[in-house]
Amino acid sequence: MYAYIIGKIIGVHGDEEGRGAITFESNYIGYDIRVSNTEKYEVGKVKKLYLYKHMTTNNKNALVEDLFGFESFEQKEFFLGLLSISGVGPITALTICSNDLETVGSLLDNGDTEGLAQLKGISPKYAKLIVERFTPEEPQRKNDETEDKMIKAMKSLGYAKNDINYMLDNLDRSDPKAELSDLLSQGIKKIAERDKELKPKKTMGMK
């Protein structure tokens, strides 16, 4: 299993999709390595690449090996995550990796499938699958009848999902005779107390 390799770039062979291959020499051995963003590779430069070896068979049932190289460990991990998605092969994954990973990460954090679908190599179908693959699912909460009523009431008041979950997690339900209105008041108070603690405090001498 390859982890990474350090060597010199001997040749660069790109294409219009932002991917291609480089000829890479290390310890007097030349390697053809598939990479994204070939414009970042300069002949003669020494570089460290994180490697992945992909093995498959051709139509003659002969074994074919391909080396894929990545500038960072995070890019390699993203590539491997893409390969775990049904229908995404290594070439498609490499094309997707040619996008800026910070931009991809921001869109994933927001679950923005439409934004992802605007990026290179990502169709609307793949955008949905990528969000599902890289966004952890929230555990399903089992609500009783009272909590269901509280959720509906809090939503009608304009509270966001994360606020409502915080309220339910921190609610004092020790009094079995507590009315719904009392519980709501308690929950709203807890959210306000949390927001007050999170609010940046003014520094002495500053307005």
Side-chain angles (χ1 to χ4, degrees):
M1 176 66 70
Y2 294 107
Y4 61 83
I5 190 171
I6 298 174
K8 182 184 291 186
I9 300 170
I10 304 301
V12 180
H13 322 282
D15 66 16
E16 296 179 357
E17 295 297 323
R19 61 175 187 250
I22 61 173
T23 302
F24 198 76
E25 181 181 310
S26 179
N27 291 326
Y28 302 101
I29 300 175
Y31 301 86
D32 286 327
I33 303 175
R34 294 181 180 270
V35 297
S36 62
N37 303 112
T38 51
E39 70 278 2
K40 294 183 178 181
Y41 295 85
E42 185 179 342
V43 173
K45 292 291 186 179
V46 174
K47 205 168 186 69
K48 177 180 181 179
L49 290 176
Y50 292 86
L51 296 179
Y52 166 73
K53 182 167 72 171
H54 183 76
M55 302 179 67
T56 187
T57 55
N58 59 20
N59 54 7
K60 296 182 180 179
N61 210 31
L63 186 64
V64 178
E65 297 183 6
D66 276 319
L67 277 179
F68 291 81
F70 308 92
E71 292 189 286
S72 67
F73 180 76
E74 291 75 19
Q75 188 184 39
K76 177 182 175 180
E77 288 294 291
F78 181 53
F79 175 85
L80 294 177
L82 291 170
L83 289 185
S84 69
I85 299 174
S86 177
V88 177
I91 299 302
T92 298
L94 191 65
T95 302
I96 294 173
C97 284
S98 68
N99 294 292
D100 178 65
L101 289 189
E102 288 189 9
T103 299
V104 174
S106 177
L107 293 170
L108 285 174
D109 288 341
N110 295 317
D112 188 351
T113 56
E114 291 185 4
L116 282 171
Q118 301 301 313
L119 300 182
K120 189 181 300 180
I122 305 179
S123 66
K125 175 185 175 182
Y126 284 155
K128 181 180 178 181
L129 293 173
I130 291 170
V131 168
E132 291 175 354
R133 168 62 179 81
F134 289 97
T135 305
E137 294 184 4
E138 293 185 8
Q140 295 295 317
R141 176 190 292 275
K142 294 183 179 179
N143 303 318
D144 58 28
E145 185 177 350
T146 300
E147 286 189 350
D148 285 336
K149 291 180 179 179
M150 292 181 67
I151 291 171
K152 291 180 181 179
M154 294 295 284
K155 284 183 177 179
S156 68
L157 292 172
Y159 283 91
K161 184 178 180 180
N162 64 318
D163 292 327
I164 298 172
N165 285 339
Y166 177 82
M167 175 194 71
L168 295 177
D169 287 337
N170 294 275
L171 206 60
D172 181 4
R173 300 289 298 275
S174 59
D175 183 2
K177 296 182 180 180
E179 298 289 336
L180 177 62
S181 57
D182 296 328
L183 293 173
L184 285 172
S185 297
Q186 181 194 154
I188 291 172
K189 183 179 179 181
K190 286 188 175 296
I191 293 172
E193 290 173 347
R194 179 207 60 184
D195 291 344
K196 185 177 180 181
E197 290 180 0
L198 294 176
K199 186 177 181 181
K201 295 181 180 180
K202 292 184 178 180
T203 305
M204 292 293 292
M206 294 181 63
K207 295 183 179 180

